[in-house]
Amino acid sequence: MAGNYVNHTAIEEQFLHYLQERNQDALSYFLNNLHITDVVELINQYPEHEAYIINLMSMHRAIHVFKILDLTQQKNIVKSLSVAKTAELLNELPPDDRTSFLSELPNATIRDLIKLLNPEERKITLSLLGYPEDSVGRLMTPDYVYVYEYNTIEEVFATIRKYAKNSETIDVIYVINQNGELLDDLRIKDILLASPSTLVSEIMDGRVITLNVHDDQEYANQVFKMNNRVALPVVDDNNILLGIVTIDDILWVTNEEFSEDIQKIGGTEALDEPYLDISFFKLIKKRVGWLIVLFLSEMLTATAMAFFADEIEKAVVLSIFVPLIMSSGGNSGSQASTLIIQAMAVGDVSLSDWWRVMRREISSGVVLGSILGFIGFVRIASWHVLMQHGIIQNLYGEHWLLIGFTVGVSLIGVVLWGTLSGSMLPILLKKLGADPAVSSAPFVATLVDVTGLIIYFSVAYLFLQGILL
């Protein structure tokens, strides 16, 4: 750690030295010989010079830096660069990275920037932007190497030498027919180990895994995970090879989806922008909707309390345990919903597993509720002993045992209901085509609060009717 710190400090000092001397040639040479991550660190440390840094770098290295910067930094750089430099940068960016950047901009800005592209790149970009926002089509790049089944391995190497420079990756070579239909994909290892005279058809195995251009990006993430690939081909409905998706794009998607799910689980809409960059009023708009929904939902809790007002008046002691009952149900529901949402996100749980999930949560709810119920009963019994010795005020009176049973049994019922609600709601929403993440912990907690009160006072009637009620 100390070595890294000293090294980066030396890089900063040298950068500032060249900057103060206004020695552009020396600074350009210095930046072009730094590691890409060190350049990114400089941009993060000195954001006022971010466009200047990109401008001084060779275009090849500038692109590699630009690709891994945050969206806000990318926007600022494009705004600050000259029109000629912006045009060069956008034309040299890989099509998938360019599409990802442009899709985050306002429509008017997109139109202005697309005018800077040369005809070929403009055609590619408009084609990719034409696919649905969360589809695989937005991620793919048309830069890949393909061969035909009648080619020899020697001809394959010639093709690689000719076209691989502009390809996103050459780890996999794709085999198509004269109609452009995908026949197979060949790993570079198989090509290297084959003799020059071997035909491509002789090393094909037909076990190609594809993505459809209209597939959801989350689905693509699962396919990559299950098949351990660095790239996958993208085809249309007629099996025509359109492009490829690489693992680096999937990793960005995974990060974005994770951030969105965490925000939704917290009871807000996905921000779609870094927290510090989103405008104040937009932030309020993203948060207020769910807060209003949850507030109105909590009004049902007040309604339930009012419905049992007479019972509370007769047995004020019951009101002492209302927060305990409500929080226990809400917490168990939040736990269950979070676990199921995460399991569905990584593919561990599917819609067809709903019955298995329900059985597990019924068992879990009973056991967890029994543990909390026992603790609640012990708490009441302990307080009763202390009351008898005059250490604390006597609140439970002679019916402490029935009150203890009421709280204990109520906790079993409330926790069981919380785990069932929390686990089944995400699955139900997924079945209806909605995002399971919206059945967030706050929403489940609110739902269980209301029903928990009903369970609590129903159990109280069972044990205390004719005694305290």
Side-chain angles (χ1 to χ4, degrees), residues 100-260:
S100 176
F101 170 63
L102 291 177
S103 62
E104 299 293 339
L105 303 177
N107 291 334
T109 305
I110 294 175
R111 287 194 294 271
D112 291 338
L113 293 178
I114 284 180
K115 294 176 183 177
L116 301 178
L117 301 176
N118 62 48
E120 183 180 353
E121 297 299 332
R122 186 183 307 153
K123 180 181 177 181
I124 293 171
T125 301
L126 289 174
S127 173
L128 296 180
L129 287 172
Y131 293 110
E133 183 176 351
D134 294 321
S135 68
V136 168
R138 284 288 187 98
L139 295 178
M140 72 177 183
T141 175
D143 295 335
Y144 56 91
V145 177
Y146 65 87
V147 295
Y148 298 97
E149 58 183 333
Y150 54 77
N151 288 142
T152 64
I153 295 301
E154 187 174 357
E155 290 173 331
V156 170
F157 280 122
T159 301
I160 292 174
R161 294 187 191 99
K162 185 175 182 180
Y163 297 107
K165 183 179 180 180
N166 297 322
S167 177
E168 181 99 0
T169 177
I170 58 169
D171 292 343
V172 183
I173 307 299
Y174 301 94
V175 185
I176 64 173
N177 61 20
Q178 294 294 337
N179 297 321
E181 296 173 321
L182 179 65
L183 302 179
D184 204 355
D185 58 355
L186 303 176
R187 300 197 181 194
I188 195 68
K189 180 183 74 172
D190 298 327
I191 297 173
L192 290 171
L193 295 176
S195 63
S197 59
T198 302
L199 293 176
V200 168
S201 58
E202 295 179 43
I203 61 174
M204 289 169 53
D205 59 16
R207 294 183 298 180
V208 61
I209 299 167
T210 65
L211 295 170
N212 187 280
V213 71
H214 296 293
D215 282 339
D216 187 84
Q217 292 176 3
E218 287 192 47
Y219 171 74
N221 181 27
Q222 295 300 322
V223 176
F224 266 87
K225 176 186 173 184
M226 298 300 295
N227 294 282
N228 193 28
R229 295 297 185 96
V230 295
L232 283 174
V234 181
V235 299
D236 64 9
D237 295 334
N238 297 315
N239 198 41
I240 303 297
L241 181 60
L242 301 177
I244 63 172
V245 173
T246 52
I247 188 65
D248 59 323
D249 297 311
I250 292 298
L251 290 175
W252 281 107
V253 169
T254 302
N255 183 60
E256 290 179 0
E257 294 293 340
F258 175 77
S259 298
E260 288 182 6

Side-chain angles (χ1 to χ4, degrees), residues 390-402:
I391 299 175
I392 59 176
Q393 183 182 359
N394 191 339
L395 295 176
Y396 307 143
E398 59 181 319
H399 304 298
W400 68 271
L401 186 60
L402 291 176

Side-chain angles (χ1 to χ4, degrees), residues 351-360 362 424 427:
L351 294 179
S352 60
D353 295 320
W354 71 271
W355 175 239
R356 293 176 59 193
V357 173
M358 178 177 282
R359 283 187 302 175
R360 289 177 66 90
I362 289 175
M424 290 296 105
I427 294 177

Side-chain angles (χ1 to χ4, degrees), residues 374-389 391-392 396 400:
F374 176 74
I375 295 173
F377 182 85
V378 169
R379 188 268 191 194
I380 291 174
S382 301
W383 254 241
H384 174 70
V385 171
L386 294 175
M387 291 171 187
Q388 281 188 317
H389 289 81
I391 299 175
I392 59 176
Y396 307 143
W400 68 271

